[in-house]
Amino acid sequence: MDAVTDRMSSRLWPAGLTRVPYWVYAEQDVLATEQRRIFEGPVWNYLCLEVDLPNVGDYRTTFIGSMPVVVVRADDGELCGFENRCAHRGALICLEDGGTAKDFQCVYHSWRYDLRGNLCSVAFRHGVNGKGGMSSDFDMAQHGPRKLRITTCCGLVFGTLSNDTPDFENWIGGEIAGRIRRVLGNKKIEIIGRFTQALPNNWKLYFENVRDTYHASLLHLFLTTFRITRLSQGGGVLVSDTGVGHASATLVPMQGPDTSYTSQSLRADNESFRLADPSILRMHDEFHDNIQLQILSVFPAFVLQQVQNALAVRQIVPRGVDQTDLNWTYLGFTDDTPELRMHRLKQCNLVGPAGYVSKEDGCVGGFVQRGIAAAADELSVVEMGGAAADTQDTRATEASVRGFWKAYRAHMGL
Ligand code: FES
Ligand SMILES: [Fe+2]
């Protein structure tokens, strides 16, 4: 056991998955250990979409936790990835969000890398006029950024630094893979928008929020009022055995009155509201099942969203113990009719920092971060729906949040 584990283990964390100590959201040591054990450990990290990189030389810069990385389509068409860190003195090799390159040259002292991240030239390696330069035994092959293993699933690109990460479908579980295929498995993806949302909270608070289907109709009054998701609609949560994968589903609502919310005296009780233009609520039946909302996540930092016809992937990037970037990419398919494309763009107003719904998720993580400022050794309660991290046919449960903690504790050795 190393010193960090020793120190963390000595802190209060009861056995089981129903209590979480607040120090895990607030300490620098924890964040540094998460980077090593989780993000750089045996996990698949979402990087970008295959459609971002259609041709040889196309690249995108992205992140594995706090580690900057480059993903590139190499000369033979293979997808490659490497740390975005020059082997000389550590500068970013690549400064743009994306583009097309023949190779990469660091701006600091012009060391150059091929599309696979191999160091291929060193400026003034042999010095000038017989003086200076690197020593004659300097071996370029021994110097370079760390390389990633890459895998793809339905047009999503994932990377890992570990040789021990299992095959992707085994990693997330077959049922969760089926739920990715349900949304992305049959069509060619087209990107219809992207932005980054700055969250004022620890990255884990956002991951918990995504896994927490219990909050959706209580925090997001628009969802409740207009029956996009209510706990009284059918559905449930799938949780993979390891807790790595989760998918929650809300079924299309039954017609007729629903008194389950009015009877509880909740803030989420606005039956009298009507939209002047209800077209945003319409759902085109594109998946041919009765799931109108599916939120899926893969530990540690990936989300796939289907809220009616608003499709998106989200990448969670820690920026500090209480700062997180959330990278959103909105999706359509190449065969969308102009009407469906317009409808997707319109429905994107439900989710995102300026929409009717999930702006609240951007606030509520901050409310928790502020609420726990002096509560390092106090515990949150994650007990809805029992104590297990199991698949359930209800959404009045926190089973998938417990699944996150199951995977987290296993990877952190806690
Ligand atoms: S830091 Fe990149 S060439 Fe010097
Ligand atoms: Fe939410």
Side-chain angles (χ1 to χ4, degrees):
M1 197 182 279
D2 65 26
V4 176
T5 306
D6 196 26
R7 201 186 71 76
M8 286 199 272
S9 300
S10 69
R11 303 292 298 268
L12 176 70
W13 197 334
L17 301 168
T18 61
R19 295 291 184 274
V20 179
Y22 292 124
W23 56 261
V24 289
Y25 306 102
E27 296 193 355
Q28 203 62 48
D29 271 10
V30 176
L31 188 69
T33 306
E34 288 167 348
Q35 178 63 29
R36 286 202 312 281
R37 299 212 180 140
I38 297 178
F39 294 103
E40 296 174 31
V43 305
W44 288 109
N45 296 277
Y46 170 75
L47 299 173
C48 65
L49 294 156
E50 277 191 86
V51 72
D52 281 316
L53 312 168
N55 301 310
V56 168
D58 291 347
Y59 69 89
R60 275 198 74 78
T61 52
T62 179
F63 289 90
I64 285 182
S66 59
M67 176 194 282
V69 300
V70 188
V71 194
V72 197
R73 193 166 297 274
D75 298 305
D76 57 2
E78 192 188 350
L79 289 175
C80 297
F82 53 89
E83 187 176 15
N84 191 3
R85 174 186 56 84
C86 182
H88 179 214
R89 299 238 303 273
L92 291 169
I93 295 168
C94 185
L95 301 173
E96 307 293 332
D97 287 342
T100 306
K102 286 198 182 58
D103 53 25
F104 298 97
Q105 193 173 66
C106 176
V107 294
Y108 202 173
H109 316 87
S110 299
W111 286 28
R112 210 154 44 81
Y113 300 85
D114 68 17
L115 295 177
R116 292 175 174 273
N118 300 311
L119 177 61
C120 52
S121 74
V122 169
F124 296 110
R125 180 177 173 187
H126 303 295
V128 177
N129 298 330
K131 295 180 183 169
M134 303 294 283
S135 67
S136 56
D137 62 356
F138 179 75
D139 179 3
M140 290 199 293
Q142 299 304 313
H143 298 269
R146 284 177 281 180
K147 306 275 177 63
L148 309 182
R149 259 196 317 135
I150 300 283
T151 193
T152 61
C153 172
C154 297
L156 308 167
V157 181
F158 292 83
T160 184
L161 281 147
S162 168
N163 289 326
D164 301 328
T165 316
D167 157 79
F168 183 74
E169 194 155 328
N170 288 338
W171 157 251
I172 63 170
E175 279 187 300
I176 305 299
R179 290 298 189 88
I180 294 179
R181 283 194 286 274
R182 171 184 171 267
V183 181
L184 300 178
N186 303 311
K187 305 249 177 119
K188 283 184 84 171
I189 293 171
E190 213 164 85
I191 294 170
I192 63 173
R194 51 173 134 225
F195 59 84
T196 297
Q197 178 179 6
L199 302 172
N201 53 265
N202 187 270
W203 69 275
K204 298 186 292 299
L205 289 171
Y206 187 77
F207 203 93
E208 281 188 303
N209 174 275
V210 163
R211 289 265 175 127
D212 169 9
T213 182
Y214 170 45
H215 86 277
S217 59
L218 299 167
L219 174 67
H220 306 302
L221 301 191
F222 192 93
L223 292 179
T224 331
T225 304
F226 300 107
R227 300 193 185 194
I228 297 172
T229 180
R230 288 178 164 214
L231 294 174
S232 46
Q233 289 165 225
V237 293
L238 280 176
V239 187
S240 69
D241 291 344
T242 56
V244 162
H246 121 280
S248 63
T250 304
L251 305 184
V252 172
M254 310 285 276
Q255 296 303 312
D258 173 10
T259 56
S260 51
Y261 280 72
T262 42
S263 63
Q264 300 239 352
S265 306
L266 301 169
R267 195 173 63 93
D269 174 12
N270 290 297
E271 281 286 318
S272 59
F273 287 171
R274 293 288 175 272
L275 291 175
D277 174 5
S279 61
I280 194 168
L281 304 175
R282 221 167 275 147
M283 183 164 113
H284 292 251
D285 178 23
E286 62 177 321
F287 303 112
H288 311 299
D289 54 25
N290 60 349
I291 297 177
Q292 75 168 9
L293 196 145
Q294 175 181 288
I295 300 294
L296 181 151
S297 68
V298 177
F299 179 84
F302 172 73
V303 183
L304 170 65
Q305 157 213 312
Q306 175 236 331
V307 177
Q308 298 190 337
N309 305 105
L311 312 179
V313 292
R314 310 175 202 160
Q315 179 195 32
I316 301 167
V317 182
R319 292 294 191 193
V321 287
D322 57 1
Q323 292 293 324
T324 300
D325 277 355
L326 187 60
N327 293 329
W328 294 72
T329 308
Y330 287 121
L331 309 178
F333 297 118
T334 50
D335 69 350
D336 284 353
T337 60
E339 293 73 29
L340 179 55
R341 179 60 56 86
M342 190 50 73
H343 186 63
R344 289 196 203 285
L345 290 167
K346 188 184 222 175
Q347 270 197 338
C348 289
N349 289 303
L350 292 173
V351 278
Y356 292 137
V357 177
S358 63
K359 61 185 184 302
E360 290 115 345
D361 294 319
C363 295
V364 80
F367 297 163
V368 177
Q369 198 79 44
R370 288 157 61 190
I372 64 174
D377 292 321
E378 301 294 321
L379 302 168
S380 73
V381 177
V382 192
E383 214 173 301
M384 288 291 289
D390 52 346
T391 291
Q392 299 188 9
D393 61 1
T394 173
R395 290 180 304 106
T397 181
E398 291 169 316
S400 41
V401 180
R402 290 189 289 277
F404 168 72
W405 290 111
K406 185 177 182 181
Y408 180 88
R409 293 182 74 160
H411 281 81
M412 289 288 279
L414 289 172

